Amino acid sequence: MEDYIVSVENATVRFNMASENIDNIKEYFVKLIQRKLMFQEFFALKDINLQIKRGEAWGIIGTNGSGKSTLLKLISGILKPYKGKVRVNGIIAPLIELGAGFDMNLTARENVFLNGTLLGHSKKYMEEHFDEIIEFAELWDFLDVPMKNYSSGMQARLGFSVATMVRPDILIVDEILAVGDYKFTKKCEQRMKEMLDGGTTLLFVSHTIEDIKEMCTHAIWIDKGIAMQQGLAEEVCNAYIAAQQ
């Protein structure tokens, strides 16, 4: 049997969506108690199969709402499959939602330690790597500013810097770099390449197909929750582009 670091087997993710408009939380609970609240099933992913070997770089492509982020959340353990299995053999550093793991009322300094704790690092460990994190994020001048005053690009800088301070087994990046400036985005891409060279496995979502081709060896194309094609990044990306024309 192959040594897969990520194995997704016949995974389906289902959500229940309210089938009527409800204006406030009170109305929602009244209808729920009276059993008058009707739901429609929505399948965000349908029978997805994906096996990723250690050290591979996979791009996940598709139009908005196709299920890309849902797949990443499934692999990260944020979501559980309605059907199927997901196995992950390693430590994950997920960069899925901007600001995830941060308290916006705290300063960047305080959030470095908070985020480090959520990733399983000790205070001593974070103190040892603090300067390295802030240096990479280029945020010395804004260290004691509450993060609610940060731009989305600054939040992305800090989140990426903390998550990649160590070398996780699996790095998951979901379009978060799109909010950064060009120079910092290239800096992040260089760090990801260094991590790949060191054996880290990458799962990468980007709407820029050229970035997928440059960063990834493999790709999976998802459309309306269904895996349309997977394999070598160049081939899958070209098929996706052809389908959009």
Side-chain angles (χ1 to χ4, degrees):
M1 182 178 177
E2 295 280 5
D3 178 26
Y4 295 121
I5 192 168
V6 175
S7 178
V8 180
E9 302 174 14
N10 300 313
T12 295
V13 174
R14 182 190 71 168
F15 296 120
N16 287 327
M17 299 191 304
S19 58
E20 54 188 304
N21 290 326
I22 297 175
D23 295 329
N24 56 66
I25 194 71
K26 179 180 178 181
E27 183 182 357
Y28 175 88
F29 280 109
V30 168
K31 287 183 176 290
L32 184 64
I33 292 170
Q34 295 176 345
R35 298 184 179 179
K36 293 181 179 179
L37 193 62
M38 303 299 292
F39 292 98
Q40 291 180 337
E41 287 186 333
F42 170 71
F43 291 93
L45 293 175
K46 304 172 186 175
D47 297 316
I48 297 293
N49 288 282
L50 179 63
Q51 281 74 44
I52 299 175
K53 295 179 183 178
R54 193 174 299 274
E56 289 182 339
W58 278 77
I60 302 172
I61 60 177
T63 57
N64 288 331
S66 60
K68 303 185 301 296
S69 296
T70 301
L71 177 59
L72 295 186
K73 290 178 181 178
L74 188 67
I75 293 171
S76 300
I78 297 170
L79 296 175
K80 299 297 182 184
Y82 171 63
K83 291 192 300 183
K85 296 179 180 179
V86 178
R87 296 186 181 91
V88 177
N89 298 311
I91 298 171
I92 297 177
L95 284 163
I96 294 179
E97 292 182 1
L98 193 62
F102 290 140
D103 184 329
M104 292 300 157
N105 291 314
L106 299 181
T107 65
R109 184 189 302 274
E110 293 166 328
N111 268 296
V112 165
F113 291 97
L114 172 63
N115 208 252
T117 299
L118 294 175
L119 290 171
H121 304 312
S122 67
K123 181 180 179 181
K124 182 175 182 295
Y125 184 89
M126 296 305 295
E127 287 173 344
E128 291 171 350
H129 291 82
F130 184 83
D131 286 358
E132 174 192 341
I133 292 169
I134 302 304
E135 188 67 36
F136 185 88
E138 303 172 8
L139 291 173
W140 284 112
D141 293 338
F142 307 95
L143 198 51
D144 295 304
V145 174
M147 284 198 63
K148 63 185 177 183
N149 296 328
Y150 270 32
S151 67
S152 56
M154 293 166 72
Q155 292 177 34
R157 286 184 179 202
L158 191 60
F160 185 90
S161 186
V162 173
T164 60
M165 170 194 59
V166 294
R167 298 297 182 259
D169 299 312
I170 305 165
L171 176 64
I172 294 180
V173 182
D174 182 6
E175 203 62 41
I176 189 172
L177 300 184
V179 299
D181 59 75
Y182 178 82
K183 181 181 176 183
F184 189 76
T185 297
K186 291 302 175 184
K187 186 177 179 180
C188 291
E189 289 176 356
Q190 181 58 41
R191 174 165 281 194
M192 287 192 288
K193 288 177 181 177
E194 292 171 359
M195 294 173 73
L196 284 168
D197 290 341
T200 294
T201 302
L202 174 67
L203 277 70
F204 184 47
V205 167
S206 175
H207 285 291
T208 306
I209 296 300
E210 292 307 314
D211 287 347
I212 297 290
K213 288 182 177 182
E214 180 181 351
M215 291 296 305
C216 302
T217 53
H218 298 74
I220 179 171
W221 164 22
I222 301 176
D223 183 58
K224 297 178 181 178
I226 298 172
M228 305 298 291
Q229 186 174 334
Q230 60 179 288
L232 295 177
E234 185 82 18
E235 295 176 3
V236 176
C237 288
N238 289 341
Y240 171 71
I241 292 170
Q244 308 308 308
Q245 295 174 347

